[in-house]
Amino acid sequence: MIDRNIFIVNPTAGKGKGNEVFIKEIRQVAEKMDLVTEHHRTTGVDDARKYVNRICEESDETMRFFACGGDGTLNEVFCGAYGHENAIVGCVPIGTGNDFVRNFEGDFCDIEAQLKADETNVDVLKYVGTLEGKVTEGCAANMFNIGFDCYVVKLIATMKQKIRYFGGFIYVIGVMMAFIKKKGANLQISIDGQVAYEGKLLLASIANGCFCGGGIMSNPLADIQDGTFDVQMIQDMKRITFLKLFPKYSKGKHIEDPYVQRKKIIKSNKAHNIKIIGLNGPFDISVDGEVKTFEEITINVDHKALRFAVPK
């Protein structure tokens, strides 16, 4: 039985849907269903994580926390709820990317369906990163990206500050801009205790879910409930080759491409643990769309460690 339904609203997400109109809609639906809902507007970075963690520690009631925003808001709610048995996470995707919910069927924008949602257990990716002796711990719901994809995320963040309301198309624009520099990374990657890659690559993704960048099916073999994550390492390639492969990459068809298989430019592994070291010093890594910088990072999977609400 659910004791409390709490909507965590990012007022700056998407096209400003996290405003009074959106909250009014939630209240109207809840009133029709004879339910009481609570609302918390986020005030800045990490506010959602702190709020959810505090509420879970203060009460032993069973609570559903609906992250109303993009993947960044969902990540914070995930991290706040992780480790608390009385917490269930839901998502109302009003942000730009909204990639985690693409792994499920159901209308996540239907408030009534959300309040009637079933729950399922999903894997959580835990990480420990170090930079200049400082250790940072956290978790991810969807995906880590290094190299080209991470550079795209940084470009998108800059564009959002200057130009609003591109929707999912903003990722394609970011790809085209990043394509000019084609930034990669120089890494040592160890998977389940064995060195799997060492040197320069175009990108690496460590995926719980299949999608990134607003619907790009970058990791079609990922499964958020199988107790592993999907590691994909793509070697550097010529720009013309990248342009030819990108349409297949966006649809999750790149792994089976004959050229890719012949040249072996993509390595894909299922794993429980991964350790990544920057060979040229600190490197950027996108954690559910938020860019962080580490010299070294270790990622593990916690199998079905969090309850997630899936609308009927």
Side-chain angles (χ1 to χ4, degrees):
M1 179 179 175
I2 306 300
D3 296 306
R4 298 167 67 181
N5 289 289
I6 305 173
F7 288 80
I8 313 297
V9 183
N10 180 351
T12 65
K15 300 180 181 180
K17 293 179 182 178
N19 53 29
E20 287 299 332
V21 175
F22 177 63
I23 293 176
K24 183 179 179 180
E25 178 190 353
I26 296 171
R27 286 176 174 152
Q28 288 175 340
V29 173
E31 184 178 353
K32 185 182 76 170
M33 298 175 65
D34 197 25
L35 292 174
V36 176
T37 57
E38 302 171 50
H39 313 88
H40 173 77
R41 286 172 178 258
T42 59
T43 58
V45 176
D46 207 35
D47 176 72
R49 182 194 65 80
K50 292 177 180 177
Y51 174 80
V52 172
N53 183 66
R54 176 172 61 83
I55 296 298
C56 288
E57 290 181 343
E58 290 176 350
S59 173
D60 59 1
E61 295 176 296
T62 299
M63 295 170 282
R64 275 191 300 207
F65 296 94
F66 295 97
C68 306
D71 288 314
T73 305
L74 178 61
N75 172 274
E76 289 192 19
V77 174
F78 244 73
C79 291
Y82 178 57
H84 297 287
E85 294 184 358
N86 59 333
I88 302 166
V89 173
C91 179
V92 183
I94 58 173
T96 303
N98 309 313
D99 286 304
F100 185 78
V101 297
R102 297 177 192 274
N103 294 284
F104 304 89
E105 296 181 356
D107 187 355
F108 281 81
C109 291
D110 185 330
I111 303 302
E112 182 172 350
Q114 287 279 21
L115 291 169
K116 294 179 179 178
D118 293 325
E119 62 182 73
T120 187
N121 288 68
V122 297
D123 298 343
V124 177
L125 304 187
K126 303 185 298 178
Y127 72 87
V128 179
T130 58
L131 177 65
E132 297 179 349
K134 180 181 178 181
V135 178
T136 301
E137 297 186 25
C139 69
N142 189 53
M143 190 178 299
F144 298 83
N145 300 93
I146 308 174
F148 183 87
D149 278 351
C150 183
Y151 185 52
V152 171
V153 170
K154 293 182 72 172
L155 287 174
I156 289 173
T158 302
M159 286 190 288
K160 282 182 178 178
Q161 294 175 358
K162 299 178 181 179
I163 305 173
R164 302 182 68 188
Y165 310 152
F166 270 113
F169 187 62
I170 195 170
Y171 182 82
V172 178
I173 298 174
V175 168
M176 293 301 102
M177 292 179 65
F179 173 71
I180 297 172
K181 290 191 175 181
K182 202 162 65 72
K183 279 192 174 183
N186 192 12
L187 308 169
Q188 181 189 81
I189 300 176
S190 298
I191 296 175
D192 292 336
Q194 300 292 324
V195 175
Y197 194 97
E198 192 166 26
K200 294 182 178 180
L201 45 68
L202 180 64
L203 63 89
S205 55
I206 300 93
N208 196 24
C210 297
F211 301 91
C212 70
I216 302 295
M217 198 173 188
S218 59
N219 290 70
L221 303 180
D223 184 333
I224 56 174
Q225 295 179 306
D226 69 353
T228 68
F229 48 77
D230 184 61
V231 183
Q232 189 167 258
M233 298 164 285
I234 302 182
Q235 298 179 35
D236 199 8
M237 64 185 76
K238 295 180 180 179
R239 287 180 172 83
I240 188 65
T241 303
F242 178 82
L243 279 177
K244 289 180 179 179
L245 285 176
F246 185 75
K248 290 186 177 181
Y249 178 72
S250 65
K251 296 177 181 179
K253 303 294 185 182
H254 53 294
I255 295 177
E256 61 195 43
D257 180 85
Y259 178 84
V260 169
Q261 293 181 345
R262 186 172 69 253
K263 294 293 185 178
K264 298 181 180 179
I265 58 176
I266 296 179
K267 291 185 178 181
S268 185
N269 299 76
K270 286 284 189 176
H272 299 89
N273 171 276
I274 186 170
K275 182 177 182 179
I276 303 170
I277 300 172
L279 296 178
N280 291 339
F283 59 91
D284 290 335
I285 181 168
S286 169
V287 183
D288 284 346
E290 300 296 322
V291 178
K292 302 180 184 296
T293 302
F294 297 120
E295 295 163 336
E296 179 181 307
I297 187 172
T298 300
I299 303 167
N300 295 280
V301 59
D302 197 351
H303 185 38
K304 293 188 175 181
L306 191 142
R307 290 187 285 172
F308 186 70
V310 182
K312 298 179 181 179

